[in-house]
Amino acid sequence: MKDMSIRTSLCEMQGKLFEMSGMEGYDSECFIRTFMNSDLAVGLDSDFDFTHWAGKEYLLERMKEEYPEGFRKQGNTYDGETLYWAGYLYRYWNFYTGESSRTIYKTADAKSVNSMYPGYHTLDIEMAIDRFRQV
């Protein structure tokens, strides 16, 4: 089990990765779906993997190489705060419940996270996750 400082760092890194995808103008739904179902997300889900130390820039470049279909510039790009929160939420959710990124995405896809952001982002992160799981 990862200690809290590593968990927080990984949550922040994933939040910044998602935010960076928006700054580059990528379609947010496509990017998030691709990431949450990728081997890179599987690595972040594990107790020990090189992705824990790779950094957001490396992960974004690797995503572009391995999953080019996830990088469309047409479509809807969410605002940076929503993207950061979504990335942070998804990673924290994995730590909180032990569910895989793929399973989490099936429960809360990009559209639902975007639509719930206004009401949920001010909640305690665990409370927000519990509410998503009840819907």
Side-chain angles (χ1 to χ4, degrees), residues 31-45 63 66-67 101-102:
F31 172 79
I32 293 170
R33 179 180 56 252
T34 301
F35 178 81
M36 293 298 288
N37 289 287
S38 72
D39 290 338
L40 294 172
V42 171
L44 288 169
D45 290 347
M63 288 281 301
E66 293 182 21
Y67 306 97
S101 291
R102 285 185 177 121

Side-chain angles (χ1 to χ4, degrees), residues 17-36:
L17 170 67
F18 279 38
E19 183 179 41
M20 214 165 73
S21 75
M23 290 177 5
E24 294 198 17
Y26 296 117
D27 177 273
S28 295
E29 291 171 17
C30 188
F31 172 79
I32 293 170
R33 179 180 56 252
T34 301
F35 178 81
M36 293 298 288

